[in-house]
Amino acid sequence: MDKLELTDAKELTNQEKEVYRTLRTNLEFTGVENRVIAVTSCGPDEGKSTVSYNLGRTLASAGKTTLYIDADMRKSILANRHQIQGIEKGLSHYLSGQADMTEVVYSTNKKNFFMLPCGLFPVNPTELLGNGRLDKLLEGLKKTFDYIIIDTPPLGSVIDAAVVAKRCDGSVLVLEADRTPKSMAKSVKEQLQAANPNIVGVVLNKVDTHKGSYYGKKYGSYYGKYYK
Ligand SMILES: Nc1ncnc2c1ncn2[C@@H]1O[C@H](COP(=O)(O)OP(=O)(O)OP(=O)(O)O)[C@@H](O)[C@H]1O
Ligand SMILES: [Mg+2]
């Protein structure tokens, strides 16, 4: 297995670490059957990649062997954001039959944290995700990893996240505070539930802490609500 060196874009503050620990604990308490989790949102830039990566890292630092899959095969920023060099192959290579599982999973310099990057951007990401190879991949990976966290594109724009969520144990919806209209959030939630009824949590992200709102004061930038 090849190894990737990751550099975190920025160190989490103690408050952010605490919030991610709460997310991790809440996820764990939804039940041991929820180990493969898709993370999506309504629109772009709401924080899917940030939340999924940090949740993955937090699970790993608690001793859970965790795989982060970058399934945003349209505009992944993973390699740039974490200054990763040396990615040869990724999800698109596996899904298109150009690589096997062992070639696309990388260990990292972070203990218990593994990565499956997106690979070259394909022309047909939705079709690749739905071609049956993803089921096989996740089935195999589940035997090795305690948790698999999958970053996806926004469901309000493309259906990739629904195709992925269908093959997961559950999903997490990230909502940017004061941005997504209620009607859109509701419609995306319904779309997600149609693919997989098990939405294990909603993360309200980018809460303006200076507003002095209840969430801001009490929980800082993130507020995670998990339910079953
Ligand atoms: N809680 C937060 N507070 C402040 N900035 C944040 C927060 N979460 C994410 N960001 C910033 O918002 C931007 C978008 O975040 P991110 O890339 O995680 O979103 P995304 O939903 O994955 O976007 P895309 O739809 O392009 O994949 C980044 O610059 C990130 O650093
Ligand atoms: Mg993203």
Side-chain angles (χ1 to χ4, degrees), residues 5-214:
E5 290 290 319
L6 311 178
T7 307
D8 286 342
K10 77 170 185 67
E11 271 288 307
L12 293 182
T13 62
N14 284 340
Q15 192 186 28
E16 286 168 338
K17 282 184 188 159
E18 186 53 39
V19 174
Y20 279 114
R21 280 197 289 267
T22 305
L23 282 182
R24 183 201 76 214
T25 307
N26 288 346
L27 174 60
E28 287 168 339
F29 272 90
T30 64
V32 286
E33 68 279 15
N34 292 320
R35 298 198 296 118
V36 183
I37 304 295
V39 178
T40 194
S41 70
C42 301
D45 286 331
E46 294 195 71
K48 300 170 288 299
S49 300
T50 306
V51 169
S52 52
Y53 178 84
N54 288 324
L55 176 61
R57 285 287 310 280
T58 308
L59 285 160
S61 41
K64 308 286 181 194
T65 313
T66 304
L67 176 69
Y68 174 88
I69 300 184
D70 183 359
D72 186 350
M73 295 189 287
R74 295 170 186 271
K75 60 174 257 205
S76 164
I77 42 70
L78 181 81
N80 270 346
R81 186 172 287 176
H82 300 286
Q83 298 168 34
I84 308 171
Q85 312 265 327
I87 297 173
E88 297 272 325
K89 291 180 175 176
L91 187 61
S92 58
H93 294 90
Y94 174 85
L95 295 177
S96 59
Q98 299 179 71
D100 64 34
M101 201 189 300
T102 55
E103 291 175 283
V104 296
V105 175
Y106 297 80
S107 63
T108 75
N109 53 330
K110 313 290 180 193
K111 200 173 169 206
N112 301 321
F113 190 62
F114 294 76
M115 261 195 179
L116 198 166
C118 69
L120 287 181
F121 293 164
V123 288
N124 54 345
T126 314
E127 286 77 10
L128 280 186
L129 288 167
N131 72 7
R133 283 178 67 88
L134 182 60
D135 303 75
K136 211 172 140 226
L137 178 70
L138 294 177
E139 210 176 286
L141 293 170
K142 252 183 126 162
K143 294 182 190 136
T144 305
F145 295 98
D146 295 324
Y147 282 93
I148 301 174
I149 307 295
I150 311 181
D151 186 16
T152 67
L155 189 52
S157 312
V158 288
I159 61 157
D160 301 17
V163 178
V164 172
K166 197 171 174 182
R167 289 151 179 93
C168 292
D169 300 328
S171 63
V172 166
L173 186 59
V174 177
L175 294 176
E176 183 176 334
D178 300 324
R179 174 169 162 196
T180 314
K182 218 174 183 177
S183 57
M184 184 175 178
K186 191 165 175 272
S187 128
V188 165
K189 181 184 143 245
E190 281 164 9
Q191 211 181 333
L192 189 56
Q193 275 176 323
N196 183 338
N198 190 24
I199 299 180
V200 293
V202 175
V203 174
L204 187 62
N205 194 26
K206 301 194 192 181
V207 175
D208 184 354
T209 49
H210 300 296
K211 267 189 177 170
S213 68
Y214 172 78

